[in-house]
Amino acid sequence: MRFFRLLTPLLLAIVAVLCFAPAAWAFCGFYVAKADTKLYNKASQVVIARDGDRTVLTMANDFQGEVKDFAMVVPVPTVLQKEQVRVTEPKIIERLDAFSAPRLVEYFDSDPCAPVYPQELSAAPAPGTARSEAEGATGDRSLGVTVEARFNVGEYDILILSAKESGGLETWLKRNGYKIPRGAKQLLKPYIRSSMKFFVAKVNLDKFEQSGYQFLRPLQISYQSPKFMLPIRLGMINATTEQDLIIYILSPQGQAEITNYRTVKIPSDANVPLFVKDKFGEFYKSMFQTAYTKEDRKVGFLEYAWDMGSCDPCSADPLSQEELKQAGVFWLDDNSGNVPASPSFRRPSPRSSVFISRLHVRYTRDKFPEDLIFQQTANSESFQGRYVLQHPFQGELKCEAGREYKRSLPKRFEQEAQTLAKLTNWNIQDIRNKMKLSIGNLTYSWWENFFSWLGLY
């Protein structure tokens, strides 16, 4: 990062002390790369800010095609009024993604022959329809659909509907110009049965052209309900492959988890070979698919959990209070201030903190037959998907400790190879062939190091 290139030698010395202090080993390091949603061809993103029974839900649109064909149908627990709906900027979701993405960090071994001094420093802790207004207000009695509210927000025309039966709702939507996929009837039925309403949006083409935006902006809704859930079944109607969903849950308490499916932590804190630096996206996709398959394709993965007031290492600056409010956080004080981030950063927390949980769900209709139900917990333990590059020392090694260090390296390299193979299902011999490392003034291929370790070279 450009920020690190501008650091003064003094600051670099301080960071080096922190990174090699035993207490700092868990997280300190130089951030190298991140596994954000750009890795996936199509990944839906949702932000849920929740405190008690109050929720602000932000939905990023990953719609691809002509905007005139866009239609969004989202079950909601209550009738929403215009003041409860707004559009927000995509940048907010991009910021949350960058801040919480799984990351690659690197360490550099210190000189094993250098004198060891006591460490006194410690690291930071870790629209419109063809019907008349009157017809829209009363609904089509023959279909059992009622328009509870109708308004415009930004480039969207919004309807809030209630319905008595799913076939009538499907027919009403199609008659009124909404392009609803086949098979919606069966998936709409359980929401109607539980008396949920339907937030329905389509693009107002005139307003969209006037806005000057090239892409549809995220929609944000606010409501109060004891139901802490996210409807995902409607997104499976036309799905031919697995769907990726990234959920950012913002809470004043601690981690959020899924209650009707298991929530497991993504494999983390693994040392991997140095060549992964140039293949981190490929590595993470393979690693996630391997973990997903191992868990029988029916779990939610926790990729990040941390107080928003800190990060270690930072893959992006923590969001400011203004950005958090744009993301839907409604319980903030105004006295925390904005402080620039560093590799290990902690900002003075406001009286009402913000804890972010990043959940990654890859789902199919057969493995996820139910919508996602969440709960907030008081668990404020920090966690991140984090993968480590450990660079060997490159200088001369003339002391006994240095010679012992050099003899230990082949075993370390083999362990890194086996770890990578286990995480990704990549071929172990292919991994070994890529592990050509320079140690000191000599270059060793992987097999020379390995044979040396076995005493055969």
Side-chain angles (χ1 to χ4, degrees), residues 75-105:
V76 291
T78 61
V79 174
L80 303 177
Q81 303 302 321
K82 182 174 182 177
E83 57 270 21
Q84 294 173 263
V85 183
R86 71 184 192 100
V87 291
T88 189
E89 296 301 322
K91 182 180 178 181
I92 296 303
I93 298 178
E94 293 170 5
R95 290 278 287 113
L96 286 167
D97 181 24
F99 177 76
S100 62
R103 62 212 62 196
L104 183 67
V105 298

PDB file of all heavy atoms in Angstrom, residues 75-105:
ATOM      1  N   PRO A  75     -40.047  -9.976   0.838  1.00  0.00           N
ATOM      2  CA  PRO A  75     -40.986 -10.085   1.963  1.00  0.00           C
ATOM      3  C   PRO A  75     -40.488  -9.251   3.146  1.00  0.00           C
ATOM      4  O   PRO A  75     -39.301  -9.282   3.485  1.00  0.00           O
ATOM      5  CB  PRO A  75     -40.953 -11.582   2.303  1.00  0.00           C
ATOM      6  CG  PRO A  75     -40.456 -12.246   1.059  1.00  0.00           C
ATOM      7  CD  PRO A  75     -39.471 -11.285   0.464  1.00  0.00           C
ATOM      8  N   VAL A  76     -41.401  -8.492   3.747  1.00  0.00           N
ATOM      9  CA  VAL A  76     -41.070  -7.666   4.908  1.00  0.00           C
ATOM     10  C   VAL A  76     -42.128  -7.896   5.980  1.00  0.00           C
ATOM     11  O   VAL A  76     -43.272  -8.226   5.676  1.00  0.00           O
ATOM     12  CB  VAL A  76     -41.001  -6.162   4.540  1.00  0.00           C
ATOM     13  CG1 VAL A  76     -39.795  -5.888   3.653  1.00  0.00           C
ATOM     14  CG2 VAL A  76     -42.281  -5.693   3.863  1.00  0.00           C
ATOM     15  N   PRO A  77     -41.750  -7.731   7.255  1.00  0.00           N
ATOM     16  CA  PRO A  77     -42.695  -8.077   8.330  1.00  0.00           C
ATOM     17  C   PRO A  77     -43.805  -7.065   8.549  1.00  0.00           C
ATOM     18  O   PRO A  77     -44.820  -7.402   9.166  1.00  0.00           O
ATOM     19  CB  PRO A  77     -41.798  -8.170   9.564  1.00  0.00           C
ATOM     20  CG  PRO A  77     -40.621  -7.318   9.247  1.00  0.00           C
ATOM     21  CD  PRO A  77     -40.413  -7.416   7.772  1.00  0.00           C
ATOM     22  N   THR A  78     -43.642  -5.806   8.091  1.00  0.00           N
ATOM     23  CA  THR A  78     -44.639  -4.772   8.348  1.00  0.00           C
ATOM     24  C   THR A  78     -44.876  -3.946   7.090  1.00  0.00           C
ATOM     25  O   THR A  78     -44.104  -3.999   6.136  1.00  0.00           O
ATOM     26  CB  THR A  78     -44.177  -3.825   9.476  1.00  0.00           C
ATOM     27  OG1 THR A  78     -42.954  -3.176   9.055  1.00  0.00           O
ATOM     28  CG2 THR A  78     -43.921  -4.588  10.767  1.00  0.00           C
ATOM     29  N   VAL A  79     -45.931  -3.161   7.110  1.00  0.00           N
ATOM     30  CA  VAL A  79     -46.207  -2.209   6.033  1.00  0.00           C
ATOM     31  C   VAL A  79     -45.245  -1.036   6.178  1.00  0.00           C
ATOM     32  O   VAL A  79     -45.155  -0.425   7.243  1.00  0.00           O
ATOM     33  CB  VAL A  79     -47.661  -1.707   6.078  1.00  0.00           C
ATOM     34  CG1 VAL A  79     -47.881  -0.604   5.048  1.00  0.00           C
ATOM     35  CG2 VAL A  79     -48.620  -2.870   5.830  1.00  0.00           C
ATOM     36  N   LEU A  80     -44.503  -0.731   5.125  1.00  0.00           N
ATOM     37  CA  LEU A  80     -43.532   0.356   5.158  1.00  0.00           C
ATOM     38  C   LEU A  80     -44.120   1.618   4.539  1.00  0.00           C
ATOM     39  O   LEU A  80     -44.857   1.556   3.547  1.00  0.00           O
ATOM     40  CB  LEU A  80     -42.265  -0.039   4.378  1.00  0.00           C
ATOM     41  CG  LEU A  80     -41.543  -1.312   4.836  1.00  0.00           C
ATOM     42  CD1 LEU A  80     -40.361  -1.601   3.925  1.00  0.00           C
ATOM     43  CD2 LEU A  80     -41.078  -1.177   6.275  1.00  0.00           C
ATOM     44  N   GLN A  81     -43.786   2.754   5.131  1.00  0.00           N
ATOM     45  CA  GLN A  81     -44.177   4.046   4.584  1.00  0.00           C
ATOM     46  C   GLN A  81     -42.973   4.670   3.882  1.00  0.00           C
ATOM     47  O   GLN A  81     -41.832   4.224   4.040  1.00  0.00           O
ATOM     48  CB  GLN A  81     -44.695   4.964   5.697  1.00  0.00           C
ATOM     49  CG  GLN A  81     -45.862   4.391   6.469  1.00  0.00           C
ATOM     50  CD  GLN A  81     -47.056   4.061   5.584  1.00  0.00           C
ATOM     51  OE1 GLN A  81     -47.379   4.804   4.649  1.00  0.00           O
ATOM     52  NE2 GLN A  81     -47.727   2.953   5.894  1.00  0.00           N
ATOM     53  N   LYS A  82     -43.212   5.731   3.117  1.00  0.00           N
ATOM     54  CA  LYS A  82     -42.151   6.325   2.306  1.00  0.00           C
ATOM     55  C   LYS A  82     -40.955   6.747   3.136  1.00  0.00           C
ATOM     56  O   LYS A  82     -39.797   6.562   2.726  1.00  0.00           O
ATOM     57  CB  LYS A  82     -42.696   7.523   1.522  1.00  0.00           C
ATOM     58  CG  LYS A  82     -41.661   8.172   0.612  1.00  0.00           C
ATOM     59  CD  LYS A  82     -42.264   9.262  -0.261  1.00  0.00           C
ATOM     60  CE  LYS A  82     -41.193   9.838  -1.192  1.00  0.00           C
ATOM     61  NZ  LYS A  82     -41.757  10.858  -2.124  1.00  0.00           N
ATOM     62  N   GLU A  83     -41.200   7.281   4.326  1.00  0.00           N
ATOM     63  CA  GLU A  83     -40.089   7.764   5.141  1.00  0.00           C
ATOM     64  C   GLU A  83     -39.217   6.620   5.673  1.00  0.00           C
ATOM     65  O   GLU A  83     -38.136   6.866   6.217  1.00  0.00           O
ATOM     66  CB  GLU A  83     -40.598   8.609   6.305  1.00  0.00           C
ATOM     67  CG  GLU A  83     -41.585   7.923   7.217  1.00  0.00           C
ATOM     68  CD  GLU A  83     -43.031   8.122   6.781  1.00  0.00           C
ATOM     69  OE1 GLU A  83     -43.262   8.446   5.593  1.00  0.00           O
ATOM     70  OE2 GLU A  83     -43.920   7.958   7.643  1.00  0.00           O
ATOM     71  N   GLN A  84     -39.654   5.399   5.514  1.00  0.00           N
ATOM     72  CA  GLN A  84     -38.864   4.241   5.955  1.00  0.00           C
ATOM     73  C   GLN A  84     -37.998   3.659   4.845  1.00  0.00           C
ATOM     74  O   GLN A  84     -37.291   2.674   5.067  1.00  0.00           O
ATOM     75  CB  GLN A  84     -39.795   3.145   6.501  1.00  0.00           C
ATOM     76  CG  GLN A  84     -40.543   3.509   7.765  1.00  0.00           C
ATOM     77  CD  GLN A  84     -41.562   2.457   8.139  1.00  0.00           C
ATOM     78  OE1 GLN A  84     -42.750   2.556   7.834  1.00  0.00           O
ATOM     79  NE2 GLN A  84     -41.095   1.404   8.808  1.00  0.00           N
ATOM     80  N   VAL A  85     -38.042   4.249   3.668  1.00  0.00           N
ATOM     81  CA  VAL A  85     -37.302   3.722   2.516  1.00  0.00           C
ATOM     82  C   VAL A  85     -36.465   4.833   1.913  1.00  0.00           C
ATOM     83  O   VAL A  85     -36.910   5.969   1.783  1.00  0.00           O
ATOM     84  CB  VAL A  85     -38.266   3.168   1.438  1.00  0.00           C
ATOM     85  CG1 VAL A  85     -37.478   2.560   0.284  1.00  0.00           C
ATOM     86  CG2 VAL A  85     -39.226   2.150   2.042  1.00  0.00           C
ATOM     87  N   ARG A  86     -35.217   4.515   1.579  1.00  0.00           N
ATOM     88  CA  ARG A  86     -34.374   5.487   0.904  1.00  0.00           C
ATOM     89  C   ARG A  86     -33.349   4.755   0.044  1.00  0.00           C
ATOM     90  O   ARG A  86     -33.162   3.536   0.164  1.00  0.00           O
ATOM     91  CB  ARG A  86     -33.668   6.402   1.909  1.00  0.00           C
ATOM     92  CG  ARG A  86     -32.565   5.763   2.726  1.00  0.00           C
ATOM     93  CD  ARG A  86     -32.016   6.730   3.758  1.00  0.00           C
ATOM     94  NE  ARG A  86     -30.785   6.262   4.382  1.00  0.00           N
ATOM     95  CZ  ARG A  86     -29.567   6.667   4.042  1.00  0.00           C
ATOM     96  NH1 ARG A  86     -29.423   7.561   3.061  1.00  0.00           N
ATOM     97  NH2 ARG A  86     -28.498   6.205   4.653  1.00  0.00           N
ATOM     98  N   VAL A  87     -32.691   5.490  -0.831  1.00  0.00           N
ATOM     99  CA  VAL A  87     -31.585   4.933  -1.601  1.00  0.00           C
ATOM    100  C   VAL A  87     -30.281   5.404  -0.967  1.00  0.00           C
ATOM    101  O   VAL A  87     -30.232   6.466  -0.341  1.00  0.00           O
ATOM    102  CB  VAL A  87     -31.634   5.355  -3.086  1.00  0.00           C
ATOM    103  CG1 VAL A  87     -32.796   4.703  -3.790  1.00  0.00           C
ATOM    104  CG2 VAL A  87     -31.693   6.868  -3.228  1.00  0.00           C
ATOM    105  N   THR A  88     -29.256   4.601  -1.105  1.00  0.00           N
ATOM    106  CA  THR A  88     -27.955   4.970  -0.570  1.00  0.00           C
ATOM    107  C   THR A  88     -26.902   4.697  -1.632  1.00  0.00           C
ATOM    108  O   THR A  88     -27.204   4.168  -2.712  1.00  0.00           O
ATOM    109  CB  THR A  88     -27.660   4.211   0.739  1.00  0.00           C
ATOM    110  OG1 THR A  88     -26.485   4.745   1.343  1.00  0.00           O
ATOM    111  CG2 THR A  88     -27.488   2.722   0.490  1.00  0.00           C
ATOM    112  N   GLU A  89     -25.667   5.038  -1.333  1.00  0.00           N
ATOM    113  CA  GLU A  89     -24.609   4.930  -2.327  1.00  0.00           C
ATOM    114  C   GLU A  89     -23.930   3.561  -2.256  1.00  0.00           C
ATOM    115  O   GLU A  89     -23.687   3.031  -1.167  1.00  0.00           O
ATOM    116  CB  GLU A  89     -23.568   6.028  -2.112  1.00  0.00           C
ATOM    117  CG  GLU A  89     -24.116   7.431  -2.313  1.00  0.00           C
ATOM    118  CD  GLU A  89     -24.679   7.647  -3.713  1.00  0.00           C
ATOM    119  OE1 GLU A  89     -24.076   7.126  -4.678  1.00  0.00           O
ATOM    120  OE2 GLU A  89     -25.717   8.318  -3.836  1.00  0.00           O
ATOM    121  N   PRO A  90     -23.572   2.972  -3.397  1.00  0.00           N
ATOM    122  CA  PRO A  90     -22.882   1.671  -3.409  1.00  0.00           C
ATOM    123  C   PRO A  90     -21.562   1.703  -2.649  1.00  0.00           C
ATOM    124  O   PRO A  90     -21.112   0.667  -2.154  1.00  0.00           O
ATOM    125  CB  PRO A  90     -22.642   1.406  -4.896  1.00  0.00           C
ATOM    126  CG  PRO A  90     -23.616   2.269  -5.622  1.00  0.00           C
ATOM    127  CD  PRO A  90     -23.829   3.479  -4.759  1.00  0.00           C
ATOM    128  N   LYS A  91     -20.958   2.892  -2.547  1.00  0.00           N
ATOM    129  CA  LYS A  91     -19.657   2.994  -1.894  1.00  0.00           C
ATOM    130  C   LYS A  91     -19.685   2.479  -0.462  1.00  0.00           C
ATOM    131  O   LYS A  91     -18.689   1.929   0.028  1.00  0.00           O
ATOM    132  CB  LYS A  91     -19.174   4.451  -1.924  1.00  0.00           C
ATOM    133  CG  LYS A  91     -17.800   4.655  -1.310  1.00  0.00           C
ATOM    134  CD  LYS A  91     -17.380   6.115  -1.366  1.00  0.00           C
ATOM    135  CE  LYS A  91     -16.016   6.308  -0.699  1.00  0.00           C
ATOM    136  NZ  LYS A  91     -15.594   7.739  -0.719  1.00  0.00           N
ATOM    137  N   ILE A  92     -20.812   2.647   0.227  1.00  0.00           N
ATOM    138  CA  ILE A  92     -20.899   2.210   1.617  1.00  0.00           C
ATOM    139  C   ILE A  92     -20.725   0.699   1.719  1.00  0.00           C
ATOM    140  O   ILE A  92     -19.998   0.193   2.578  1.00  0.00           O
ATOM    141  CB  ILE A  92     -22.243   2.653   2.237  1.00  0.00           C
ATOM    142  CG1 ILE A  92     -22.323   4.179   2.271  1.00  0.00           C
ATOM    143  CG2 ILE A  92     -22.411   2.063   3.630  1.00  0.00           C
ATOM    144  CD1 ILE A  92     -21.184   4.842   3.025  1.00  0.00           C
ATOM    145  N   ILE A  93     -21.373  -0.033   0.830  1.00  0.00           N
ATOM    146  CA  ILE A  93     -21.237  -1.489   0.843  1.00  0.00           C
ATOM    147  C   ILE A  93     -19.836  -1.887   0.399  1.00  0.00           C
ATOM    148  O   ILE A  93     -19.245  -2.832   0.937  1.00  0.00           O
ATOM    149  CB  ILE A  93     -22.321  -2.132  -0.036  1.00  0.00           C
ATOM    150  CG1 ILE A  93     -23.708  -1.791   0.537  1.00  0.00           C
ATOM    151  CG2 ILE A  93     -22.135  -3.647  -0.123  1.00  0.00           C
ATOM    152  CD1 ILE A  93     -24.861  -2.322  -0.257  1.00  0.00           C
ATOM    153  N   GLU A  94     -19.279  -1.153  -0.558  1.00  0.00           N
ATOM    154  CA  GLU A  94     -17.907  -1.420  -0.985  1.00  0.00           C
ATOM    155  C   GLU A  94     -16.929  -1.223   0.176  1.00  0.00           C
ATOM    156  O   GLU A  94     -15.968  -1.985   0.335  1.00  0.00           O
ATOM    157  CB  GLU A  94     -17.541  -0.505  -2.151  1.00  0.00           C
ATOM    158  CG  GLU A  94     -18.326  -0.794  -3.429  1.00  0.00           C
ATOM    159  CD  GLU A  94     -18.124   0.277  -4.487  1.00  0.00           C
ATOM    160  OE1 GLU A  94     -17.296   1.197  -4.251  1.00  0.00           O
ATOM    161  OE2 GLU A  94     -18.791   0.213  -5.529  1.00  0.00           O
ATOM    162  N   ARG A  95     -17.180  -0.210   1.000  1.00  0.00           N
ATOM    163  CA  ARG A  95     -16.309   0.056   2.148  1.00  0.00           C
ATOM    164  C   ARG A  95     -16.397  -1.075   3.181  1.00  0.00           C
ATOM    165  O   ARG A  95     -15.380  -1.515   3.738  1.00  0.00           O
ATOM    166  CB  ARG A  95     -16.680   1.390   2.786  1.00  0.00           C
ATOM    167  CG  ARG A  95     -16.338   2.596   1.937  1.00  0.00           C
ATOM    168  CD  ARG A  95     -14.875   3.001   2.086  1.00  0.00           C
ATOM    169  NE  ARG A  95     -14.652   3.628   3.384  1.00  0.00           N
ATOM    170  CZ  ARG A  95     -13.920   3.111   4.349  1.00  0.00           C
ATOM    171  NH1 ARG A  95     -13.325   1.945   4.203  1.00  0.00           N
ATOM    172  NH2 ARG A  95     -13.756   3.768   5.500  1.00  0.00           N
ATOM    173  N   LEU A  96     -17.613  -1.530   3.452  1.00  0.00           N
ATOM    174  CA  LEU A  96     -17.784  -2.637   4.392  1.00  0.00           C
ATOM    175  C   LEU A  96     -17.108  -3.900   3.865  1.00  0.00           C
ATOM    176  O   LEU A  96     -16.468  -4.645   4.617  1.00  0.00           O
ATOM    177  CB  LEU A  96     -19.273  -2.901   4.638  1.00  0.00           C
ATOM    178  CG  LEU A  96     -20.007  -1.891   5.518  1.00  0.00           C
ATOM    179  CD1 LEU A  96     -21.511  -2.100   5.419  1.00  0.00           C
ATOM    180  CD2 LEU A  96     -19.548  -1.988   6.969  1.00  0.00           C
ATOM    181  N   ASP A  97     -17.242  -4.138   2.583  1.00  0.00           N
ATOM    182  CA  ASP A  97     -16.617  -5.289   1.950  1.00  0.00           C
ATOM    183  C   ASP A  97     -15.103  -5.230   2.102  1.00  0.00           C
ATOM    184  O   ASP A  97     -14.456  -6.194   2.541  1.00  0.00           O
ATOM    185  CB  ASP A  97     -17.014  -5.334   0.473  1.00  0.00           C
ATOM    186  CG  ASP A  97     -16.420  -6.517  -0.273  1.00  0.00           C
ATOM    187  OD1 ASP A  97     -16.083  -7.532   0.371  1.00  0.00           O
ATOM    188  OD2 ASP A  97     -16.286  -6.418  -1.509  1.00  0.00           O
ATOM    189  N   ALA A  98     -14.522  -4.072   1.767  1.00  0.00           N
ATOM    190  CA  ALA A  98     -13.068  -3.931   1.830  1.00  0.00           C
ATOM    191  C   ALA A  98     -12.548  -4.065   3.257  1.00  0.00           C
ATOM    192  O   ALA A  98     -11.509  -4.676   3.502  1.00  0.00           O
ATOM    193  CB  ALA A  98     -12.654  -2.587   1.229  1.00  0.00           C
ATOM    194  N   PHE A  99     -13.280  -3.493   4.221  1.00  0.00           N
ATOM    195  CA  PHE A  99     -12.839  -3.512   5.606  1.00  0.00           C
ATOM    196  C   PHE A  99     -12.855  -4.917   6.198  1.00  0.00           C
ATOM    197  O   PHE A  99     -11.988  -5.284   6.995  1.00  0.00           O
ATOM    198  CB  PHE A  99     -13.712  -2.583   6.446  1.00  0.00           C
ATOM    199  CG  PHE A  99     -13.374  -2.578   7.915  1.00  0.00           C
ATOM    200  CD1 PHE A  99     -12.262  -1.907   8.381  1.00  0.00           C
ATOM    201  CD2 PHE A  99     -14.163  -3.260   8.828  1.00  0.00           C
ATOM    202  CE1 PHE A  99     -11.938  -1.912   9.731  1.00  0.00           C
ATOM    203  CE2 PHE A  99     -13.858  -3.265  10.178  1.00  0.00           C
ATOM    204  CZ  PHE A  99     -12.736  -2.590  10.616  1.00  0.00           C
ATOM    205  N   SER A 100     -13.848  -5.723   5.813  1.00  0.00           N
ATOM    206  CA  SER A 100     -14.062  -7.018   6.469  1.00  0.00           C
ATOM    207  C   SER A 100     -13.594  -8.215   5.648  1.00  0.00           C
ATOM    208  O   SER A 100     -13.725  -9.352   6.093  1.00  0.00           O
ATOM    209  CB  SER A 100     -15.561  -7.192   6.781  1.00  0.00           C
ATOM    210  OG  SER A 100     -16.323  -7.203   5.584  1.00  0.00           O
ATOM    211  N   ALA A 101     -13.052  -7.986   4.464  1.00  0.00           N
ATOM    212  CA  ALA A 101     -12.680  -9.101   3.586  1.00  0.00           C
ATOM    213  C   ALA A 101     -11.570  -9.952   4.187  1.00  0.00           C
ATOM    214  O   ALA A 101     -10.669  -9.440   4.858  1.00  0.00           O
ATOM    215  CB  ALA A 101     -12.235  -8.560   2.227  1.00  0.00           C
ATOM    216  N   PRO A 102     -11.595 -11.260   3.985  1.00  0.00           N
ATOM    217  CA  PRO A 102     -10.463 -12.098   4.375  1.00  0.00           C
ATOM    218  C   PRO A 102      -9.182 -11.570   3.746  1.00  0.00           C
ATOM    219  O   PRO A 102      -9.198 -11.060   2.626  1.00  0.00           O
ATOM    220  CB  PRO A 102     -10.842 -13.476   3.809  1.00  0.00           C
ATOM    221  CG  PRO A 102     -12.344 -13.445   3.773  1.00  0.00           C
ATOM    222  CD  PRO A 102     -12.697 -12.036   3.400  1.00  0.00           C
ATOM    223  N   ARG A 103      -8.072 -11.697   4.452  1.00  0.00           N
ATOM    224  CA  ARG A 103      -6.859 -11.004   4.027  1.00  0.00           C
ATOM    225  C   ARG A 103      -5.612 -11.868   4.090  1.00  0.00           C
ATOM    226  O   ARG A 103      -5.531 -12.839   4.835  1.00  0.00           O
ATOM    227  CB  ARG A 103      -6.663  -9.752   4.882  1.00  0.00           C
ATOM    228  CG  ARG A 103      -6.473 -10.041   6.359  1.00  0.00           C
ATOM    229  CD  ARG A 103      -7.035  -8.924   7.219  1.00  0.00           C
ATOM    230  NE  ARG A 103      -8.457  -8.767   7.031  1.00  0.00           N
ATOM    231  CZ  ARG A 103      -9.151  -7.695   7.414  1.00  0.00           C
ATOM    232  NH1 ARG A 103      -8.542  -6.708   8.028  1.00  0.00           N
ATOM    233  NH2 ARG A 103     -10.436  -7.619   7.196  1.00  0.00           N
ATOM    234  N   LEU A 104      -4.647 -11.460   3.285  1.00  0.00           N
ATOM    235  CA  LEU A 104      -3.328 -12.073   3.261  1.00  0.00           C
ATOM    236  C   LEU A 104      -2.347 -11.094   3.883  1.00  0.00           C
ATOM    237  O   LEU A 104      -2.342  -9.915   3.547  1.00  0.00           O
ATOM    238  CB  LEU A 104      -2.927 -12.370   1.816  1.00  0.00           C
ATOM    239  CG  LEU A 104      -1.593 -13.081   1.578  1.00  0.00           C
ATOM    240  CD1 LEU A 104      -1.642 -14.508   2.126  1.00  0.00           C
ATOM    241  CD2 LEU A 104      -1.273 -13.099   0.085  1.00  0.00           C
ATOM    242  N   VAL A 105      -1.535 -11.586   4.812  1.00  0.00           N
ATOM    243  CA  VAL A 105      -0.534 -10.733   5.466  1.00  0.00           C
ATOM    244  C   VAL A 105       0.826 -11.405   5.357  1.00  0.00           C
ATOM    245  O   VAL A 105       0.923 -12.607   5.107  1.00  0.00           O
ATOM    246  CB  VAL A 105      -0.881 -10.466   6.948  1.00  0.00           C
ATOM    247  CG1 VAL A 105      -2.200  -9.731   7.079  1.00  0.00           C
ATOM    248  CG2 VAL A 105      -0.921 -11.781   7.739  1.00  0.00           C
TER     249      VAL A 105
END
